[in-house]
Amino acid sequence: MPLLHVLCAAPASPAEARSLLRRARMMLTPEETLLLFCDLPASDAAKAPEDDALIRLLQSGVMSAGRPRPGRFLLLVRRRSWDDARRAYLGAQQAVSPAQVAAQLLTLGRTDAAFEAATFSPSSLKGLYDAMLLMSDSLCCTPDTPGRMAAALEKSGFPCLCGRVLPFHPPQETALSRLARVRFSLSPVAEALSDRMARHNLAFPDGAVMFSREAFPSLAQGRLPQEPCPLAGECLFVRRRPDTAASLLSALRIRQARAFGSLSRRGGPGDPGARLDAFAALLPLAQLSLLLLAALLGSAPLAIAVILLPEGYALFHPRLLPGALVRLALLPARVLSAFDAGMAQLLARSPRLRVELPSGALGASGCVFAGAALLGLAFRTIYALAPLLLVCLLWLSAPLLFPALSSPLRERIPLDEPERAQLASLAEASFYTLPDAPDESAAAPRLMLAACAGCMLRLLEPDEAARRVSALLAPLEASPGALCASEISCLLASAQYLRERMSDCDAALRPLPARLEALARACPPPEDDGLLAGLLRLCQTGDSSAPALDALRAFQPPHAKQPDGLLPQTPSLDALFLPFGYCVSSAPMLMPLTHPHAFLRAHFLEIGKDAAESAAAVDRFLVLAAALGLPFGPLLLRSPVVAPYAPVLMQL
């Protein structure tokens, strides 16, 4: 079916615009049309001085990249619109969403939105496309994802289909990134609905959504489909940046403002999603009011009910309890954010009266003030002091909680700079002694991952690493043999790393990640090859039934034997792709991976003394690279093949 891929972005500087154009070029395919829908940054004036340079940069980049494919790379730059509530000209925060504008052009050939620049006639889109993929600039995907998603949409028969969005997994993850794995949200209602629908393979149309032609008329009127959409399991999108507490509160405030605006309009059925957001915004207001009332009345049962009832769903699902604790700690910030958004909407038409809270009150300062006030009220009547004391301590600790949620969590014993330099020099020396071609002892998949690790350590350019992987892949495709679980994982991790660096490689190398994943799917791992082999067998069969997942969760690591050397015994490199908790439970076999100091204390063979042991050299280099913190495990978990099962593995 003819597909229009709409990429929504709001570049605020030339550097962001260049990065956006690079990512857009990576998504271009000969079969699909990519529309780059850009909004200008918010401003006090309808036209800012830097607009012309930014628009010229976007136009020249789109025209240059679209020259080999005429009519396949399009650009629309929307003009700012005045907002009474904020007293500013808004860009991406306009009431009319990009999805609505694009649907109006596809359905009617016209729209009320005005454009600063366009590389084509917007009215020419009418009736040309049967489907539209809408995604934000904060997401990225592989070039083949839209095509596979279009095929899944046509097969499903639904008016829309949601892509599975994976959170950003940096080498050192933040606490919020870990909470995002279990669908954390600042709204308990949204989190409960998201978790419930995910269990039934459904999701609200948000993030990356593909709409069929049947959904265009309602979308053009600003109404999303009334029912949740099914999730496309293998159509994966990855966030490019991690969430922070400040970014979550900012995004929550924007959604609350849109929700209050939808409720304040007269006529029309409104957007069910916006009504849900409005209910989620009013819930913390009611919760805080009842907590203050419980403190005044000294009612402990009321205080306990107010704390526990909104988190009833999390109480029955213990893995959601950390998110519930974070929501309770940020309750004053959520309340002040909702109050600020509601007052801005209520007084939008007033020319003189304005109520706007300072930015500091919407963060840790507001939580501290609310904690001090609640603690004073609780001491008036000590009957409710016990349940309220926990809440007060959480609010008073907000200045420590905000940076803690955004700070990286260290899973390994940290290295100081001299130790890191020593390990890095050992890794570099080991890299240059690796064999150029696979032999009986050095398998090609491990050499592929070693090439990617060399690129991570900046010993190779991305293009050179991709060419090495391509040269190693050709013999395997011609005569595939039996591969162990760690070698299949090396293939998938290499594919994911190259996919994320394809913008720095030649266009001829773009099919390389898909070729690696196809080979990994075609090679079944041995039956008795540990937990990693069980996970890969599930990925190959596509079995997501409860018995299969329960069997994977029930897997117990074998009793580790004392190793003769530094490297793990059988399975040799599985620990590169397993979660940290599993590695710790298998100590001391996996100690070098979790405690890099072992490399500094133990005896190392001199590099180059025994070059015949190719496998030992490759394994030594990969384990050294893992000790330096290279993200082999997160690379595997972001792979489209493994990602649907990654939450199961991370819960072990």
Side-chain angles (χ1 to χ4, degrees):
M1 63 172 68
L3 171 65
L4 178 65
H5 185 177
V6 182
L7 180 62
C8 305
S13 65
E16 292 184 11
R18 293 188 189 94
S19 176
L20 171 65
L21 290 170
R22 282 197 299 271
R23 292 192 301 275
R25 281 195 294 267
M26 190 179 69
M27 298 179 190
L28 282 175
T29 59
E31 299 82 14
E32 298 145 9
T33 302
L34 177 63
L35 171 60
L36 189 58
F37 191 103
C38 293
D39 280 303
L40 297 170
S43 175
D44 294 332
K47 193 170 182 63
E50 62 273 10
D51 288 352
D52 291 337
L54 190 62
I55 291 173
R56 282 196 301 270
L57 177 61
L58 290 170
Q59 286 178 320
S60 61
V62 168
M63 294 176 68
S64 174
R67 191 174 293 114
R69 307 175 183 86
R72 294 293 187 181
F73 194 12
L74 312 176
L75 172 69
L76 284 178
V77 182
R78 183 165 57 165
R79 186 171 297 168
R80 297 183 182 93
S81 66
W82 175 254
D83 184 77
D84 287 330
R86 300 192 184 183
R87 292 294 177 180
Y89 286 92
L90 300 184
Q93 295 81 21
Q94 297 182 38
V96 180
S97 65
Q100 185 175 351
V101 174
Q104 289 172 352
L105 293 176
L106 290 171
T107 306
L108 308 173
R110 64 180 186 276
T111 179
D112 294 334
F115 301 102
E116 291 284 354
T119 59
F120 68 105
S121 173
S123 60
S124 63
L125 294 179
K126 180 180 178 181
L128 285 183
Y129 300 97
D130 294 332
M132 174 180 67
L133 172 61
L134 188 77
M135 62 177 285
S136 168
D137 174 46
S138 63
L139 305 178
C140 60
C141 67
T142 57
D144 59 332
T145 298
R148 289 190 285 109
M149 199 169 179
L153 176 66
E154 188 175 10
K155 184 179 179 181
S156 68
F158 284 86
C160 67
L161 194 67
C162 296
R164 193 181 300 275
V165 178
L166 302 178
F168 180 84
H169 292 304
Q172 290 183 329
E173 287 187 286
T174 63
L176 276 178
S177 177
R178 293 198 170 195
L179 288 175
R181 293 178 183 169
V182 290
R183 292 172 282 277
F184 168 72
S185 172
L186 284 178
S187 166
V189 179
E191 182 181 87
L193 284 175
S194 175
D195 185 74
R196 187 70 176 174
M197 288 189 300
R199 292 173 177 269
H200 295 84
N201 203 38
L202 297 173
F204 278 123
D206 194 9
V209 193
M210 182 170 286
F211 300 96
S212 65
R213 183 186 289 271
E214 290 75 16
F216 290 170
S218 60
L219 193 62
Q221 299 176 10
R223 299 197 306 269
L224 289 173
Q226 302 292 322
E227 298 179 356
C229 300
L231 276 170
E234 291 191 357
C235 300
L236 301 177
F237 299 81
V238 181
R239 294 203 180 276
R240 297 190 301 106
R241 60 181 73 94
D243 288 328
T244 62
S247 66
L248 284 178
L249 288 172
S250 176
L252 180 66
R253 187 188 184 283
I254 293 173
R255 295 187 66 179
Q256 288 167 345
R258 288 181 176 175
F260 286 133
S262 175
L263 289 178
S264 64
R265 297 191 196 105
R266 297 180 181 273
D271 185 358
R275 293 181 181 275
L276 179 63
D277 289 340
F279 173 74
L282 294 174
L283 179 62
L285 287 169
Q287 192 175 0
L288 182 61
S289 302
L290 291 174
L291 279 176
L292 294 175
L293 181 63
L296 286 172
L297 299 178
S299 174
L302 177 60
I304 295 173
V306 172
I307 294 172
L308 297 183
L309 287 182
E311 303 294 345
Y313 186 84
L315 293 176
F316 290 97
H317 299 81
R319 58 190 174 80
L320 302 179
L321 287 177
L325 196 63
V326 171
R327 277 191 297 272
L328 182 60
L330 300 181
L331 178 62
R334 294 162 53 205
V335 170
L336 293 174
S337 177
F339 176 80
D340 195 31
M343 293 304 296
Q345 187 64 40
L346 182 64
L347 304 176
R349 299 297 180 183
S350 174
R352 297 181 181 179
L353 188 58
R354 284 288 176 272
V355 176
E356 185 174 354
L357 298 177
S359 57
L362 303 179
S365 302
C367 295
V368 171
F369 178 80
L374 184 64
L375 188 62
L377 291 175
F379 270 107
R380 290 188 57 190
T381 55
I382 61 172
Y383 300 106
L385 181 61
L388 292 178
L389 185 59
L390 172 63
V391 179
C392 295
L393 292 177
L394 283 175
W395 293 356
L396 291 174
S397 64
L400 301 176
L401 181 63
F402 267 74
L405 289 173
S406 307
S407 300
L409 298 177
R410 295 187 180 273
E411 290 191 340
R412 299 178 175 89
I413 295 179
L415 298 169
D416 57 27
E417 289 304 320
E419 292 172 336
R420 180 170 292 277
Q422 185 176 354
L423 277 187
S425 64
L426 283 173
E428 182 175 358
S430 180
F431 175 78
Y432 288 118
T433 62
L434 298 181
D436 296 329
D439 54 25
E440 294 181 356
S441 57
R446 298 186 182 184
L447 287 174
M448 293 179 189
L449 190 61
C452 295
C455 184
M456 295 181 198
L457 293 173
R458 300 187 178 182
L459 304 175
L460 287 179
E461 293 296 327
D463 195 72
E464 176 61 25
R467 292 189 187 281
R468 288 196 182 191
V469 172
S470 180
L472 292 165
L473 178 61
L476 282 180
E477 288 179 324
S479 57
L483 300 177
C484 66
S486 61
E487 291 170 349
I488 298 174
S489 301
C490 287
L491 288 175
L492 296 175
S494 301
Q496 183 60 25
Y497 177 74
L498 293 174
R499 174 180 287 110
E500 296 174 1
R501 300 301 299 269
M502 271 293 111
S503 59
D504 301 324
C505 300
D506 290 344
L509 297 170
R510 286 185 181 177
L512 187 56
R515 291 169 56 195
L516 289 168
E517 290 169 354
L519 178 62
R521 288 189 177 98
C523 297
E527 291 292 334
D528 301 326
D529 205 4
L531 172 66
L532 197 56
L535 173 72
L536 294 173
R537 280 194 297 273
L538 283 182
C539 299
Q540 290 175 351
T541 60
D543 186 5
S544 58
S545 61
L549 298 180
D550 291 341
L552 188 64
R553 289 191 182 97
F555 180 85
Q556 295 295 328
H559 294 290
K561 298 180 180 179
Q562 289 289 344
D564 298 329
L566 283 175
L567 300 179
Q569 306 278 315
T570 54
S572 58
L573 292 184
D574 284 13
L576 294 177
F577 313 101
L578 292 175
F580 178 73
Y582 180 86
C583 295
V584 173
S585 67
S586 302
M589 182 177 67
L590 305 177
M591 190 63 69
L593 301 180
T594 57
H595 297 270
H597 300 274
F599 285 101
L600 304 175
R601 294 193 302 267
H603 172 70
F604 238 96
L605 293 175
E606 293 186 19
I607 303 299
K609 279 293 184 68
D610 198 356
E613 296 183 359
S614 303
V618 177
D619 289 2
R620 182 184 299 115
F621 171 70
L622 290 176
V623 177
L624 272 169
L628 285 166
L630 297 191
F632 295 138
L635 278 175
L636 176 71
L637 298 183
R638 289 201 298 269
S639 167
V641 179
V642 181
Y645 303 92
V648 182
L649 184 62
M650 297 309 299
Q651 292 172 16
L652 296 174

